[in-house]
C-alpha cells in the first residue's frame, strides 16, 4: 500500500491520533471499497472487522420483527463503524450497511480492541467519539418523537451532506422513508415542501441542497445540538464542513 493511500487526514478520527499512535496502526489498516448496500454487520452476528470510512457513508439501523427499519446512526469520515467491539462485546442488535458508496480503512476488530485496551490516546479519542454518538442517539430519540417530518427531513439531509462532504448526493425517497421510519408518501410531501421553498432539488434519485442556511433554519434544534457536541468533544476533526463550504463559496 502506497504512502499516499495511508494519509491519516482522509478519516478525521484517524487524523486526530498522535503520529506515533497512527503509525502503530498502519500495518493493520487495509484500504477497501465499500459499494452501496454492502452489509458491514448484521444483528447478533460477530463483528470481525471495524471500518474507518473515507468518503463512504454507512447507516446504522434497527430492524423490527415486521421488517420495518429506522436509522439510529450514520457514520462517514468523522468516525468509525464497529463501536461495540470496544464496549465489551462483539455483537449488536443493529445492522450496518453502506448508504453512499466510497472507500474506507478496514481493520481487524481484535487488533483494535487490543489497541484500545492499551489506554492512551487511542482509548481517549474513541471514548470521546462514543460520547458524541451517545448525544446523537439520545437527541435523535427526542427528535423522532417531538418534531415534524419536515424538520426531521431537513436535519437528516444536512447530516448526510456533512458526512458526504457535498451538497449533492444520491438518495431515493423510498430509502429516505426507510431511514426515517415513515411512509414514502410522507417523505414525498415533506421533500416537495422543501423543494418549493427552493432549499433542495430532487430528481432521479439525486438530491441537491440549494440553500443550506434556509435548510438549517427549517431543521429543528437537534441538528445544531449534535453538531456542537461533536465539535466540543472532538475539536478540529468534528464535522463542521457545511460552514467551511459556505465560507469557501463566498
Amino acid at each position: 500500500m502506497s504512502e499516499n493511500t495511508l494519509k491519516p487526514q482522509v478519516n478525521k478520527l484517524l487524523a486526530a491520533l498522535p503520529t506515533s499512535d497512527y503509525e502503530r496502526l498502519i500495518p493493520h489498516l487495509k484500504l477497501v471499497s465499500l459499494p452501496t448496500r454492502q452489509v458491514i454487520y448484521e444483528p447478533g452476528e460477530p463483528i470481525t472487522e471495524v471500518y474507518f470510512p473515507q468518503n463512504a457513508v454507512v447507516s446504522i439501523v434497527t430492524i423490527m420483527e415486521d421488517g420495518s427499519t429506522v436509522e439510529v446512526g450514520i457514520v462517514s469520515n468523522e468516525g468509525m463503524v464497529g463501536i461495540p467491539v470496544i464496549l465489551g462485546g462483539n455483537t449488536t442488535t443493529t445492522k450496518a450497511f453502506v448508504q453512499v458508496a466510497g472507500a474506507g480503512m478496514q481493520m481487524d476488530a481484535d487488533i483494535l480492541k487490543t489497541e484500545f485496551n492499551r489506554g492512551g490516546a487511542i482509548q481517549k479519542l474513541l471514548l470521546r467519539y462514543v460520547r458524541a454518538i451517545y448525544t446523537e442517539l439520545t437527541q435523535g430519540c427526542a427528535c423522532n418523537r417531538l418534531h415534524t417530518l419536515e424538520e426531521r427531513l431537513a436535519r437528516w439531509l444536512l447530516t448526510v451532506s456533512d458526512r458526504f462532504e457535498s451538497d449533492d448526493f444520491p438518495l431515493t425517497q423510498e430509502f429516505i422513508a426507510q431511514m426515517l421510519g415513515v411512509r414514502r408518501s410522507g417523505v414525498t410531501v415533506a421533500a416537495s415542501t422543501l423543494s418549493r421553498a427552493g432549499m433542495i432539488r430532487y430528481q432521479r434519485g439525486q438530491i441537491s441542497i440549494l440553500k443550506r442556511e434556509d435548510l438549517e433554519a427549517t431543521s429543528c434544534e437537534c441538528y445544531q445540538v449534535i453538531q456542537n457536541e461533536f465539535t466540543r468533544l472532538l475539536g478540529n476533526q468534528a464535522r463542521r464542513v457545511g460552514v467551511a463550504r459556505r465560507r469557501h463559496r463566498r
Side-chain angles (χ1 to χ4, degrees):
M1 192 173 293
S2 69
E3 181 180 352
N4 289 336
T5 299
L6 289 173
K7 285 183 178 179
Q9 67 266 26
V10 176
N11 177 279
K12 295 175 184 176
L13 203 56
L14 292 177
L17 287 171
T19 301
S20 59
D21 292 270
Y22 177 74
E23 288 179 345
R24 195 169 65 249
L25 297 184
I26 287 178
H28 309 293
L29 292 170
K30 176 184 177 183
L31 181 64
V32 295
S33 175
L34 297 172
T36 303
R37 296 287 182 171
Q38 175 180 325
V39 175
I40 304 299
Y41 57 74
E42 292 276 10
E45 292 186 356
I47 300 175
T48 57
E49 288 93 21
V50 298
Y51 294 81
F52 297 89
Q54 294 183 343
N55 56 345
V57 179
V58 177
S59 288
I60 314 298
V61 300
T62 292
I63 306 174
M64 308 308 287
E65 287 185 355
D66 62 2
S68 59
T69 63
V70 63
E71 186 178 71
V72 295
I74 184 171
V75 184
S76 189
N77 67 356
E78 88 298 334
M80 121 180 195
V81 182
I83 283 294
V85 301
I86 65 170
L87 298 179
N90 67 338
T91 64
T92 181
T93 58
T94 57
K95 174 180 180 177
F97 68 95
V98 180
Q99 179 187 115
V100 179
M105 305 303 289
Q106 182 190 74
M107 185 178 184
D108 183 272
D110 288 336
I111 293 176
L112 179 67
K113 190 183 304 184
T114 298
E115 290 293 334
F116 179 82
N117 290 335
R118 289 169 62 122
I122 292 177
Q123 185 182 88
K124 290 178 181 178
L125 178 65
L126 290 179
L127 286 177
R128 290 202 306 271
Y129 177 62
V130 170
R131 288 175 60 190
I133 292 297
Y134 176 78
T135 297
E136 187 171 50
L137 289 173
T138 55
Q139 196 71 30
C141 289
C143 183
N144 290 340
R145 176 64 180 85
L146 300 174
H147 295 142
T148 67
L149 179 54
E150 184 178 316
E151 291 173 324
R152 291 167 56 201
L153 177 59
R155 173 181 67 86
W156 193 76
L157 292 176
L158 288 166
T159 300
V160 174
S161 173
D162 285 352
R163 305 299 176 83
F164 198 48
E165 297 196 359
S166 173
D167 286 334
D168 302 282
F169 40 90
L171 287 175
T172 65
Q173 288 190 6
E174 180 179 2
F175 186 80
I176 295 172
Q178 290 177 343
M179 295 302 97
L180 293 179
V182 299
R183 294 181 177 180
R184 179 177 176 178
S185 58
V187 172
T188 299
V189 172
S192 295
T193 300
L194 299 180
S195 180
R196 286 196 302 271
M199 298 181 217
I200 67 170
R201 179 175 60 244
Y202 176 79
Q203 56 183 9
R204 297 180 181 179
Q206 188 77 18
I207 290 180
S208 300
I209 295 178
L210 305 178
K211 296 180 179 179
R212 188 178 181 91
E213 291 182 353
D214 289 349
L215 195 62
E216 289 182 3
T218 299
S219 172
C220 53
E221 71 267 25
C222 299
Y223 172 70
Q224 197 64 52
V225 169
I226 294 169
Q227 190 183 59
N228 288 345
E229 188 69 353
F230 266 77
T231 300
R232 183 182 74 84
L233 291 170
L234 300 172
N236 292 333
Q237 62 80 231
R239 56 209 167 168
R240 300 295 303 237
V241 295
V243 174
R245 283 201 303 273
R246 290 199 300 274
R247 289 174 178 170
H248 178 72
R249 285 198 293 264
R250 290 173 185 171

